[in-house]
Amino acid sequence: MAFTAMLLAIAACLAPLFLVSAMPSFEGVTSWSSMNSLVPGMTHLQGLGPIASEHEGSLFPFYMSIAAPRGLPGNVTVYRNKSPPLYYIHQNQLWHYHNDSTILPINVHNSTAGLPLQLIAEQKPGGVPGGRWRWQGTMLFYENGPQNNQGLFYSCQDVNGLNGLFLFLQCSPPPAGCTPFTIHSFSSNRLTEG
């Protein structure tokens, strides 16, 4: 009896050494090394256009970014950014991911002074009703009803002289002083449906 008790005591001490320790995980996440492990489909959005191709040798590409201090609402714009923000599409809404407690919707608003629709990062979803974001290949598209921007965005100054990103829902010549861009996700982790 004493021998059996001793064997059980030794087995109880050694058992944890032979068991695999558990590691916390989230649904669908298989690696902690991925930057988008908590939100599937998160990606940087790169702007391609005439200005971007003129400066191919530059260190940093053009990225869709927010013209405000990190994590705060502001105009969406395109500029060379060595630390570009992350975005994802969920339920047809484009979202800017800053951190787990700050995720801002990218809303499309009617603008003034002859400019097309403007992209703005805000605290709550809003803007023009009925809009929907989607991917077509690597290219970001915005559509509202039967119309879409054909993947074309314009970097312009607004009426206050601030840079912003704009779009048309019908074929139109670029506004004066604006630069056309297409916005792309080249991430292999991006999902087509959010």
Side-chain angles (χ1 to χ4, degrees), residues 43-61:
T43 183
H44 303 288
L45 297 179
Q46 188 172 348
L48 300 178
I51 291 179
S53 60
E54 286 176 13
H55 304 287
E56 282 293 324
S58 294
L59 296 176
F60 306 113

Side-chain angles (χ1 to χ4, degrees), residues 26 32 40 49 63 65 97 103 110 127 135 151 158 162 166 168 172 181-182 185:
F26 296 90
W32 287 97
Y63 286 104
S65 302
Y97 177 90
I103 300 173
N110 285 314
W135 296 109
D158 66 13
L162 301 172
F166 297 83
F168 283 113
S172 300
F181 278 93
T182 54
S185 167

Side-chain angles (χ1 to χ4, degrees), residues 75-142:
N75 287 351
V76 176
T77 188
V78 175
Y79 62 86
R80 291 190 186 286
N81 192 341
K82 65 181 178 181
S83 179
L86 293 166
Y87 298 89
Y88 65 97
I89 296 174
H90 178 68
Q91 296 181 345
N92 302 321
Q93 172 69 54
L94 181 63
W95 297 90
H96 160 57
Y97 177 90
H98 175 66
N99 60 34
D100 287 346
S101 62
T102 306
I103 300 173
L104 303 173
I106 304 300
N107 296 322
V108 177
H109 286 272
N110 285 314
S111 61
T112 57
L115 290 172
L117 300 169
Q118 183 174 9
L119 281 62
I120 302 174
E122 297 181 294
Q123 293 290 341
K124 297 181 180 188
V128 176
R132 162 179 141 69
W133 294 95
R134 67 177 175 86
W135 296 109
Q136 185 167 319
T138 65
M139 197 178 312
L140 181 65
F141 272 69
Y142 177 80

Side-chain angles (χ1 to χ4, degrees), residues 3-27:
F3 181 71
T4 305
M6 185 173 72
L7 282 178
L8 286 174
I10 292 172
C13 291
L14 294 176
L17 298 176
F18 297 108
L19 298 176
V20 176
S21 298
M23 184 170 128
S25 65
F26 296 90
E27 181 180 338

